[in-house]
Amino acid sequence: MRSETAPAIRLEDYQPPAYRIDKVHLDVRLDPQATMVTATLALAKAEGTADGTPLILDGDELVLTGLKLNGQDLPASAYEATAERLEISAPPATPFELTITTEINAEANTKLMGLYRSSGTFCTQCEAEGFRRITYFLDRPDVLAVYTTRLEALKTDCPVLLGNGNLVETGDAETPGHHYAVWHDPHPKPAYLFALVAGDLARHPDTFTTASGKMVELNIFVEHGKEGQCGWAMDSLKRSMRWDEEAFGREYDLDVFNIVAVSDFNMGAMENKGLNIFNDKYVLADPETATDQDYANIEAVIAHEYFHNWTGNRITCRDWFQLCLKEGLTVFRDQEFSADMRSRPVKRIADVRLLKSHQFPEDAGPLAHPVRPRVYHEINNFYTATVYEKGAEVVRMLKTLLGAQAFRAGLDLYFDRHDGEATTIEAFLACFEEAASTDLSQFALWYEQAGTPLVSVETRHDPDHETFTVSLSQEIPPVPGQKSSKPAVIPLRFGLIGPNGEDMDLTPADGSQASGDVLVLTKAQQDVTFRNVSSRPVLSLLRGFSAPIRLNQKLGSEDLLFLAAQDNDPFNRWQAVQTLAMQDLVRLSEATRRGEPGMPAQEVLEVFSAVMRDASLDDALKAQTLTLPSEADIAQEIGKDVDPDAIHAARQLMRRALARQLGMDLVPYVHAQTHNGAYSPDAEAAGKRALSNRALHYYAVSGAEDADQIVWDRFRTADNMTDRLAALTLLVHDHMAQEDVALEAYRTRHEKNSLAMDKWFMTQAMAPGSETLARVRVLMTHPLYDAGNPNRVRALLQSFATGNPTQFARSDGAGFKLIAESVLALDKRNPQVASRLLTSFRSWRALDPQRSALAESALLRISSCEDLSRDSRDIVDRTLQ
Ligand code: B3K
Ligand code: ZN
């Protein structure tokens, strides 16, 4: 017996709702075990609905305690209620009011969907389908209503009562010791944007004056004692609000914007209207506990959620298949914001690394799906790198193809035309077609087709005719459910670099598809010819990673070395260094596998030396360029019959060789003061620390006599988390002498701070070496391990499964076994966390036969479980298919 796969929901089956809900009045009496929710819904038949059409409302684990229609109790014969649905068999033909009372045990809610408690605070998570865990409702994004929420609770337990929109009334309630607050949100919204918070929280206040002169009250609410860690998040919020006005002409639209940070949260944050709820990891920061990466993430996530106010909230999705309409666009917007706040090339490289390490493997494996999927069994499993990150790349390509001006005009039209609506990708694209007078029907394939296009490139220089021809072809390798594909529109930003290192000023001969510095590939096969090219140029293609594709451009090492040294596009310069390193790492991995470990190529090592000495590169870019491709990146490049041990050995070999090569050049950076005076998380200071820590990463294995001492000193004397964690990681991952002392010192110092302790669990889980598995098992019994806290589970288990390739994919299968057991245990408590962990098996077929057989049996074990959640059932079925 196995649990049933949930029925398939298909895009082609979309039907508009039979009923409208215009107004919702919620009366919520908060109590940890027995919260009473009375929802009064103003309902009406939608246009075209026949009289007497049953009204079917969604529910999930609900207990109905009262039901009235137009103020009268409904007889039992007039409705049918289960935990999952409420059906009114023959509702009135004219508008009517339904009053539904439900009782909820928030304390027992371990799924963290709907109303739950986190460290004593009541909070909610409704996207995608959590509102139906609060009351019966048409829980779908195309039902937009105006909400009024009255919250009532014990004053002592919940002095803070927050809802969506603006606060309209507060006072003492009838019940002694209780008080209430009424919130009204004038903007019609879908139920997934509903939120409430009640608890004893501290407030970090500020204000923002919009471009049109309206003053907005801003607050960040956190647990008492954490008020001092909100400054960066608040600063990021104000910069986001200003930027959205300047870059996109979007102003905020309520009197107040509240953010609440909670410690138990299934994902990063949630854009509820006027009341964003955040995983505290993306709010709290001070130099003692947060790294530079944490600061950058906070800035990006605060911006992302804020930007949703227009792209997601004011204009929302018609159905969940359109998720990328809000997510892809909002990721694009937050990427642009971060690029403007920091260094554009450094941000682009970081985003592309993320895309390649998360989205490319998803697109190449059993969980591949289009940016706009056509079918799902559990929508929570579609908050993926494909919908988010590839979705953002599609918007970026649109901008590249149309140009900044037409892109902005299209977006303005979209905001104008669809404000207040729940809409679709078609409607979005139509705005750009109209604004730019162009046809985007072929471009729309980016939303329809899964898989990463592979673009092959060959070039020919004909010195006699002085022509240079670029032959391009594209194909998408088959993915599940998609055997063949159509050619996509692929914008390829390029440059032809002459022998002097300068870009040649060339336009292609008539008839080619080039415009400006972008070649547009639209056919399966296409040639572009340039004339008057007397000497052979080097083609720098896919500058800035202008399309989410794999490039098969067989550049010789001479050309790659030239690009690594000369390309004036910083992204492609970085890419050339990466490609050189990758080619050598693949060669070394394969040699190691055959038992004949080689030596890294001297010319590659010298490229790194040149980077280290290049005074024109800023520190952050230099640190990024000096970072070797990750083990997962190398595995992806190898593609099949993967042996993670050989990859690890090859990468370590190259790291050591580089450490020796860089030698004395490392010393000044290793000893560099990582900040002067007060700590600042700005991009320049962070870049300085990144470079110093990158240098230390090599110095640790350089063979220098003082290497151990220097790393230990960095750990001991660090006055900020970035430096402390970088040193701790070296001590633990390289098993240096002070490993245990350092872990113990770190624990004593940070025991009381759970975000800092997540890093302690994570560092140990990611340590290469066969003893890690046993260590992870011991850590699962540590008093500070908490299987109910998603951050802690991710820090220990997700980091192990996705960040420790040699130990997760151990050749004895013990890593797979640990994760399979954990998925099964977590699934009962929190299906979303379990199914996310389960996705770490997604590349199992690419492993060598012994390992993939072991992974398969771990997956089969999960699959044979009788009462698997819908979330995990969906992932395991697709992973095994
Ligand atoms: N929209 C939320 C994600 C909701 C996830 C639901 N399983 C956060 C975001 O993308 O901004
Ligand atoms: Zn989002």
Side-chain angles (χ1 to χ4, degrees), residues 179-300:
H179 69 151
Y180 73 91
V182 180
W183 290 81
H184 178 73
D185 178 6
H187 300 277
K189 65 167 176 287
Y192 82 84
L193 291 172
F194 170 83
L196 71 81
V197 170
D200 186 2
L201 297 166
R203 184 167 76 103
H204 177 99
D206 210 322
T207 59
F208 178 83
T209 305
T210 66
S212 56
K214 193 174 128 170
M215 177 134 98
V216 181
E217 178 189 333
L218 309 177
N219 297 300
I220 298 181
F221 291 90
V222 292
E223 283 170 23
H224 287 286
K226 297 184 175 169
E227 303 87 316
Q229 293 177 267
C230 302
W232 177 250
M234 185 58 93
D235 183 58
S236 303
L237 174 62
K238 290 191 289 182
R239 282 184 285 118
S240 306
M241 295 177 87
R242 190 61 75 218
W243 186 87
D244 212 15
E245 294 180 343
E246 289 167 2
F248 287 99
R250 299 296 115 201
E251 273 192 34
Y252 188 61
D253 54 8
L254 288 165
D255 304 340
V256 53
F257 187 74
N258 285 323
I259 290 177
V260 180
V262 299
S263 51
D264 303 281
F265 207 65
N266 280 346
M267 61 268 172
M270 180 63 214
E271 70 264 25
N272 318 297
K273 184 78 188 188
L275 176 55
N276 284 192
I277 301 183
F278 269 64
N279 186 326
D280 59 4
K281 177 182 161 76
Y282 295 114
V283 171
L284 304 175
D286 59 26
E288 169 66 5
T289 56
T291 61
D292 291 324
Q293 188 59 55
D294 292 325
Y295 277 91
N297 292 343
I298 290 168
E299 182 179 77

Side-chain angles (χ1 to χ4, degrees), residues 321-593:
F321 295 101
Q322 321 294 331
L323 185 58
C324 62
L325 178 72
K326 73 179 179 82
E327 295 306 346
L329 179 55
T330 306
V331 171
F332 169 76
R333 277 151 52 68
D334 85 53
Q335 290 176 345
E336 287 298 287
F337 167 74
S338 294
D340 281 350
M341 295 296 122
R342 294 159 180 266
S343 143
R344 190 160 274 272
V346 169
K347 173 65 180 158
R348 187 65 188 140
I349 291 168
D351 289 341
V352 172
R353 285 191 89 121
L354 182 82
L355 183 82
K356 289 188 173 178
S357 64
H358 287 72
Q359 199 278 325
F360 277 25
E362 183 168 273
D363 232 354
L367 300 179
H369 56 273
V371 171
R372 182 173 63 179
R374 274 180 299 276
V375 56
Y376 64 77
H377 294 269
E378 170 51 62
I379 187 57
N380 282 321
N381 288 337
F382 281 85
Y383 288 76
T384 59
T386 298
V387 169
Y388 276 65
E389 268 70 42
K390 190 175 177 182
E393 293 301 319
V394 176
V395 176
R396 185 174 296 280
M397 284 191 287
L398 202 53
K399 182 172 177 188
T400 305
L401 287 163
L402 304 183
Q405 230 180 343
F407 176 76
R408 174 70 198 268
L411 212 48
D412 284 347
L413 182 59
Y414 173 70
F415 288 129
D416 205 39
R417 181 179 287 172
H418 296 290
D419 188 14
E421 289 180 8
T423 192
T424 60
I425 289 297
E426 282 77 7
F428 174 71
L429 290 179
C431 295
F432 294 93
E433 290 189 314
E434 213 171 297
S437 309
T438 188
D439 175 2
L440 293 172
S441 46
Q442 189 187 358
F443 182 80
L445 287 171
W446 278 108
Y447 289 98
E448 306 297 329
Q449 301 189 138
T452 308
L454 177 69
V455 173
S456 300
V457 196
E458 269 170 35
T459 58
R460 277 184 317 280
H461 179 235
D462 179 343
D464 297 337
H465 298 96
E466 300 200 333
T467 59
F468 185 72
T469 305
V470 182
S471 298
L472 299 161
S473 64
Q474 57 164 313
E475 58 163 338
I476 301 181
V479 295
Q482 183 184 294
K483 290 198 189 68
S484 62
S485 62
K486 297 193 186 121
V489 180
I490 302 180
L492 298 163
R493 203 177 282 285
F494 77 105
L496 296 175
I497 311 176
N500 60 355
E502 298 292 319
D503 276 13
M504 293 175 163
D505 187 14
L506 288 169
T507 39
D510 286 353
S512 81
Q513 291 271 339
S515 69
D517 60 351
V518 180
L519 292 175
V520 186
L521 174 60
T522 56
K523 304 198 186 88
Q525 213 285 322
Q526 205 168 315
D527 280 2
V528 181
T529 300
F530 297 87
R531 301 204 191 282
N532 306 320
V533 192
S534 50
S535 45
R536 177 186 167 272
V538 176
L539 171 64
S540 167
L541 198 63
L542 199 63
R543 281 183 164 175
F545 206 72
S546 58
I549 58 158
R550 282 177 210 272
L551 200 55
N552 174 21
Q553 182 183 14
K554 299 243 156 45
L555 282 175
S557 62
E558 208 176 303
D559 283 351
L560 277 170
L561 291 167
F562 179 79
L563 292 175
Q566 303 279 356
D567 204 322
N568 64 34
D569 177 63
F571 180 88
N572 264 15
R573 209 178 151 195
W574 167 83
Q575 182 62 65
V577 177
Q578 288 288 302
T579 306
L580 281 163
M582 181 64 95
Q583 287 176 352
D584 218 33
L585 285 162
V586 170
R587 180 184 65 80
L588 288 169
S589 304
E590 280 163 3
T592 309
R593 185 126 193 228

Side-chain angles (χ1 to χ4, degrees), residues 19-20 42-45 51-52 69-70 90-97:
Y19 286 86
R20 301 194 322 259
L43 280 138
K45 272 190 323 163
D51 285 0
L69 199 146
N70 290 335
T94 51
F96 61 99
E97 198 178 84

Side-chain angles (χ1 to χ4, degrees), residues 24-158:
V24 177
H25 186 281
L26 285 171
D27 187 339
V28 185
R29 315 263 159 131
L30 291 152
D31 174 279
Q33 282 102 33
T35 291
M36 291 268 288
V37 178
T38 302
T40 305
L41 315 179
L43 280 138
K45 272 190 323 163
E47 234 173 58
T49 299
D51 285 0
T53 303
L55 168 69
I56 300 171
L57 301 178
D58 306 297
D60 182 12
E61 298 186 317
L62 283 180
V63 178
L64 180 71
T65 59
L67 182 61
K68 287 187 163 78
L69 199 146
N70 290 335
Q72 303 292 313
D73 280 336
L74 257 188
S77 59
Y79 70 92
E80 208 183 291
T82 68
E84 275 73 46
R85 62 189 248 152
L86 171 61
E87 177 169 347
I88 317 284
S89 45
T94 51
F96 61 99
E97 198 178 84
L98 205 59
T99 308
I100 306 168
T101 308
T102 47
E103 191 185 300
I104 307 166
N105 185 344
E107 196 117 282
N109 183 354
T110 59
K111 294 184 178 172
L112 314 188
M113 280 298 279
L115 176 71
Y116 67 96
R117 299 242 291 172
S118 173
S119 309
T121 299
F122 288 96
C123 60
T124 54
Q125 171 57 35
C126 292
E127 187 175 3
E129 298 177 334
F131 192 69
R132 62 183 67 182
R133 295 169 61 77
I134 297 172
T135 189
Y136 293 98
F137 204 72
L138 292 175
D139 192 4
R140 43 187 287 169
D142 57 354
V143 172
L144 308 184
V146 170
Y147 285 68
T148 306
T149 310
R150 182 186 183 280
L151 301 167
E152 182 179 324
L154 253 178
K155 226 190 250 187
T156 45
D157 287 359
C158 299

